[in-house]
Amino acid sequence: VRDSIRPSDNPTEETSGSGKSVPARLLSTAAGLFWSQGYANTTTRQLSRELGLQKASLYYHMEKKEDLLYSICVESLRHTLSRARAEVAKATSPRSRIQALIRGHVTSTLEEKDKHATMLTELRSLSPDRRGEVVALRDEYEDFVKSVILEAQRSGVLREDLSAKLLTLGLLDLLNWSIFWFSERGELDSTELADAFAALFLDGAVVSPDGIPSNRGGA
Amino acid sequence: VRDSIRPSDNPTEETSGSGKSVPARLLSTAAGLFWSQGYANTTTRQLSRELGLQKASLYYHMEKKEDLLYSICVESLRHTLSRARAEVAKATSPRSRIQALIRGHVTSTLEEKDKHATMLTELRSLSPDRRGEVVALRDEYEDFVKSVILEAQRSGVLREDLSAKLLTLGLLDLLNWSIFWFSERGELDSTELADAFAALFLDGAVVSPDGIPSNRGGA
DNA sequence: GTCTATAAAGAGATAGAC
DNA sequence: GTCTATCTCTTTATAGAC
């Protein structure tokens, strides 16, 4: 966690002008650029231009360009993990815990689309040490998802002919990569998308045996 | 299609020595590097070193570094599209066509893992013109997948409360991103993975009503 | 078709004034 | 905390011999 950029190292900056501290603007602006152009293709010149600063001024807030990428990855994963944990804690049955997990994951990643997408695609641009730290965080989240799946398998809700590992990775693929095509102006908003994914993951794409929707009990 | 690198512009090169022409080795070596390090992080020096050539010699086979990325993307999409089309054509029912599609997609993308992964993650590094061409190819493939899904919906096999578009994009997310974690040394080989995905996509993760596997009739 | 040598541009990062 | 100015390194790509 050393060398990271934090949104509010100094609380007094928070109230100045635009409402967002420079470090926070730095991270979100960087995430926008990294996501649309790639980390390596984004120059510090571009970044400083978008922030209305001189290139050299960036180095008051960071030590290296890579610090930005590292902080973006950590923030994104912490955000998703804590949201997913909170949602799951509120749910009361194995099936509804899975629905809650999906809703927490989808809404939190779409809220921080740029950061989450950057984390997903640019991990390999981090130094080995930091990549290791981020991968550990990612594994922590995957383990959490897997524990929710496993509980549902043990209680007879989910099939056991597909391993918990496969169900976990398959579910995360389904959820994560929707940021590539999800649009705020599309047919669904983020909670509707989450519920559609939950229906697809749980019940599959095939029509239910007799039109009995096994979808009773929203939350 | 101009300025592309083709595996065998000159058929006589094919038989020389290692069995693979220089252009073909160039593309597969580049894809390996682009996938593991990213396109922008991969230098022409590295590439030439792995090929046992001098840096300048690369420019006999290509005009710019970007040509490699472009050719990799085009080849990957053509390969997947033609394989998927062939598999679907052999199948005889709407449900089995979906299973065939999944098998074709998974096996062909895992065969050319490096190229397909590069196509998925590095599209944004292409010039606008070429990105447009590749996106058009990708759309062509997506349209094909969607047509298979739509046919199954119309014939009553797939549910219609989730749009064909959502089912298509969800399915492709599930399938595409497994290259991030699939390993030849894992519990499943690529056709087993494909069948697991087909079971998950079609029937969902929830246990079937009375343990009746709706999975009868392999192909 | 591959080589040596080099051109030309752009990158990340630092020094030190204000 | 931001500025101007600059350093140093690496990159892609080309010229021209063999």
Side-chain angles (χ1 to χ4, degrees), chain B residues 195-207:
Chain B
D195 290 342
F197 279 157
L200 178 59
F201 175 72
L202 290 169
D203 301 319
V206 160
V207 289

Side-chain angles (χ1 to χ4, degrees), chain A residues 110-190:
Chain A
L110 290 179
E111 267 166 29
E112 298 212 278
K113 209 174 159 172
D114 291 344
K115 287 180 189 167
H116 189 70
T118 298
M119 185 274 292
L120 285 174
T121 56
E122 296 290 355
L123 234 167
R124 60 188 170 190
S125 296
L126 282 175
S127 71
D129 279 13
R130 286 176 153 181
R131 185 165 55 243
E133 290 182 47
V134 174
V135 166
L137 260 176
R138 199 192 55 186
D139 288 347
E140 194 183 332
Y141 180 61
E142 281 184 18
D143 285 346
F144 172 66
V145 175
K146 195 172 157 193
S147 73
V148 175
I149 300 262
L150 259 175
E151 187 223 2
Q153 281 184 321
R154 289 196 184 117
S155 58
V157 172
L158 290 193
R159 60 200 288 175
E160 295 195 273
D161 60 326
L162 300 177
S163 71
K165 188 179 168 194
L166 183 102
L167 290 177
T168 299
L169 293 172
L171 175 60
L172 287 175
D173 282 347
L174 178 67
L175 303 185
N176 273 328
W177 303 98
S178 61
I179 44 178
F180 271 62
W181 49 264
F182 176 78
S183 159
E184 272 89 31
R185 304 172 307 289
E187 41 176 356
L188 304 175
D189 67 26
S190 66

Side-chain angles (χ1 to χ4, degrees), chain A residues 19 29 42-43 68 72 93 99 111 139-140 151 168 202 214 218:
Chain A
T29 306
T42 300
T43 68
L68 297 171
I72 286 166
S93 73
Q99 291 172 322
E111 267 166 29
D139 288 347
E140 194 183 332
E151 187 223 2
T168 299
L202 290 169
S214 54

Side-chain angles (χ1 to χ4, degrees), chain B residues 42-133:
Chain B
T42 301
T43 68
T44 52
R45 283 165 165 80
Q46 244 182 319
L47 185 55
S48 65
R49 207 182 311 125
E50 291 223 359
L51 287 164
L53 288 178
Q54 287 304 309
K55 195 166 43 75
S57 309
L58 299 176
Y59 290 86
Y60 175 81
H61 301 282
M62 68 191 196
E63 207 178 284
K64 302 183 295 173
K65 181 186 165 190
E66 194 209 319
D67 299 349
L68 297 171
L69 179 56
Y70 173 71
S71 299
I72 285 166
C73 291
V74 170
E75 228 179 71
S76 158
L77 281 166
R78 291 229 176 98
H79 185 241
T80 308
L81 179 52
S82 73
R83 173 78 70 87
R85 280 215 167 100
E87 293 287 335
V88 167
K90 283 191 275 181
T92 56
S93 73
R95 184 186 167 100
S96 70
R97 272 191 277 282
I98 289 175
Q99 291 172 322
L101 173 70
I102 291 172
R103 218 172 291 159
H105 182 108
V106 170
T107 57
S108 76
T109 56
L110 290 179
E111 267 166 29
E112 299 211 277
K113 208 173 160 173
D114 292 343
K115 287 179 188 168
H116 189 70
T118 298
M119 185 275 293
L120 285 174
T121 57
E122 296 290 355
L123 234 168
R124 61 189 170 189
S125 295
L126 282 175
S127 70
D129 279 12
R130 285 176 153 182
R131 185 165 55 242
E133 289 181 49

Side-chain angles (χ1 to χ4, degrees), chain B residues 14 18 24 26 38-39 54 58 61 75 85 104 122 126 135 138-139 142 159-160 167 169 173 191 194 205:
Chain B
E14 295 282 1
S18 66
L26 187 50
Y39 170 75
Q54 287 304 309
L58 299 176
H61 301 282
E75 228 179 71
R85 280 215 167 100
E122 296 290 355
L126 282 175
V135 167
R138 200 192 56 185
D139 289 347
E142 280 184 19
R159 60 201 287 175
E160 296 195 274
L167 290 176
L169 294 172
D173 282 346
T191 63

Side-chain angles (χ1 to χ4, degrees), chain A residues 23-114:
Chain A
R25 284 211 307 139
L26 186 51
L27 278 196
S28 58
T29 306
L33 290 168
F34 293 170
W35 163 229
S36 64
Q37 310 181 332
Y39 170 74
N41 298 314
T42 300
T43 68
T44 52
R45 286 165 165 81
Q46 244 182 319
L47 185 54
S48 65
R49 208 182 310 126
E50 291 223 359
L51 287 164
L53 289 179
Q54 288 302 310
K55 191 166 47 78
S57 308
L58 300 176
Y59 290 85
Y60 174 81
H61 302 281
M62 67 191 196
E63 207 178 284
K64 302 182 294 172
K65 181 187 165 190
E66 194 210 319
D67 298 349
L68 297 171
L69 180 56
Y70 173 69
S71 298
I72 286 166
C73 292
V74 170
E75 229 181 69
S76 157
L77 281 166
R78 290 229 176 97
H79 185 241
T80 308
L81 179 53
S82 74
R83 173 79 69 84
R85 280 214 167 101
E87 294 287 335
V88 167
K90 283 190 275 180
T92 56
S93 73
R95 185 186 166 101
S96 70
R97 272 192 276 282
I98 290 176
Q99 291 172 322
L101 173 70
I102 291 172
R103 218 173 290 159
H105 183 109
V106 170
T107 57
S108 77
T109 56
L110 290 179
E111 267 166 29
E112 298 212 278
K113 209 174 159 172
D114 291 344

